Amino acid sequence: RGQESAGIVTSDGSRIREHKAMGLVPEIFNEQVLDSLGGHVSLGHVRYSTTGSSLLVNAQPFRVRHHGTSLAIAHNGNLVNAGEIRSEMENQGSIFQSSMDSEVVLHLIVRHSSGGLEYALKKTMSQLQGAYSLVLMTENGLVGARDPHGFRPLSLGRINGSYVLASETCAFDLVEAEFVRDVEPGELVLIDDQGLRSLRWDDTSHRRSYCIFELIYFARPDSTVFGQNVYLFRKRQGALLARTHPVEVDLIMPFPDSGNYAALG
């Protein structure tokens, strides 16, 4: 979902390993690098910047250590109140390493960590405003979270008895994982050696506000997003366009690549 930078963080329960660089995935990862990233839990990210400069320091997953414990984040979306939270924290002495809004999430979790992970997660999510589908990695597990409006997609899958999370269902197909369900808006899923637990931090009934550009442009055509097959959705768009604005043409030239399927319609 991005071409600026990529990274993977892994854990074997005691040791954290990571590899990040600017550029495309095939340029960053080879067999030797992947073999060095051992562990039973991992988190990967490719970046398309919407907040923060295109620099290595802003590449994700973004990892911090607090009281000897590591925490990493991969985030898809925009936090509209990140600047406000960051300014308040900096005034209170917090030090930020990057210019991206995602780092704010980790600072909030650490601030509330005295009450345990579940408490910290609920308190953090209740303070965030905007679009966020994110995956957090602890030394022994994963956490998936989606904002109460559901702006961005986040899917849950299963492979060889273990759970996986991804922005798109096509990622499951590539590794032969089974799609289980979408993470619900306003839901937290916690995955560890005990299995999967689901939590909610907000019982308010929020209006669902899916980002239409996921279906029009961002997602791969072989993904299912917001319950819609992306390929069929784009093809229906093209058919609707032809009916709404009929013209005599010799050639339909789609730009960019995602326009191919609307052109077929």
Side-chain angles (χ1 to χ4, degrees):
R1 297 175 69 81
Q3 299 181 334
E4 292 179 26
S5 61
I8 295 176
V9 177
T10 66
S11 172
D12 60 9
S14 58
R15 182 182 174 189
I16 302 290
R17 300 172 176 88
E18 70 175 314
H19 184 77
K20 295 191 291 187
M22 303 298 292
L24 300 172
V25 170
E27 300 166 355
I28 297 169
F29 295 101
N30 54 39
E31 289 299 322
Q32 183 179 358
V33 171
L34 292 172
D35 287 343
S36 70
L37 295 169
H40 67 281
V41 57
S42 63
L43 178 61
H45 187 267
V46 288
R47 188 161 192 257
Y48 168 86
S49 62
T50 52
T51 304
S53 305
S54 182
L55 301 170
L56 183 58
V57 69
N58 288 332
Q60 296 188 31
F62 190 82
R63 181 168 69 99
V64 296
R65 282 186 66 80
H66 178 71
H67 285 325
T69 301
S70 287
L71 190 65
I73 186 172
H75 171 218
N76 176 26
N78 286 86
L79 303 177
V80 295
N81 65 335
E84 178 185 334
I85 295 172
R86 181 178 179 134
S87 178
E88 177 188 336
M89 287 183 161
E90 286 181 328
N91 289 338
Q92 294 172 356
S94 294
I95 297 173
F96 285 80
Q97 301 175 43
S98 73
S99 58
M100 59 184 171
D101 55 359
S102 311
E103 189 178 357
V104 167
V105 182
L106 297 180
H107 277 262
L108 287 173
I109 291 173
V110 167
R111 172 174 285 194
H112 301 303
S113 61
S114 60
L117 181 61
E118 290 187 14
Y119 173 81
L121 290 168
K122 288 180 178 180
K123 287 289 289 184
T124 296
M125 300 309 152
S126 67
Q127 290 180 256
L128 300 178
Q129 296 173 16
Y132 54 92
S133 277
L134 55 88
V135 181
L136 296 159
M137 190 189 95
T138 66
E139 287 165 350
N140 288 297
L142 293 173
V143 177
R146 197 166 163 210
D147 73 74
H149 297 281
F151 287 109
R152 298 290 185 204
L154 186 63
S155 298
L156 175 71
R158 196 197 307 266
I159 181 170
N160 299 328
S162 299
Y163 287 101
V164 285
L165 292 160
S167 289
E168 292 188 40
T169 59
C170 68
F172 301 151
D173 300 331
L174 292 168
V175 297
E176 298 183 350
E178 169 198 4
F179 169 68
V180 176
R181 65 175 177 87
D182 287 332
V183 175
E184 290 294 315
E187 183 185 18
L188 277 164
V189 291
L190 286 77
I191 302 165
D192 55 26
D193 56 4
Q194 303 298 311
L196 182 141
R197 285 173 293 143
S198 172
L199 303 171
R200 300 195 77 85
W201 72 89
D202 187 349
D203 294 326
T204 309
S205 179
H206 291 275
R207 176 174 175 264
R208 299 292 172 90
S209 302
Y210 302 140
C211 174
I212 194 64
F213 234 56
E214 292 284 350
L215 287 166
I216 293 172
Y217 173 68
F218 287 140
R220 239 175 63 157
D222 53 338
S223 283
T224 298
V225 175
F226 309 138
Q228 299 258 16
N229 177 278
V230 175
Y231 166 77
L232 294 176
F233 179 90
R234 290 175 184 167
K235 198 172 178 181
R236 287 198 302 271
Q237 280 186 306
L240 182 61
L241 179 64
R243 288 197 300 269
T244 308
H245 299 283
V247 290
E248 290 294 326
V249 296
D250 299 308
L251 173 70
I252 298 174
M253 186 176 292
F255 290 104
D257 211 37
S258 54
N260 282 317
Y261 316 104
L264 287 172

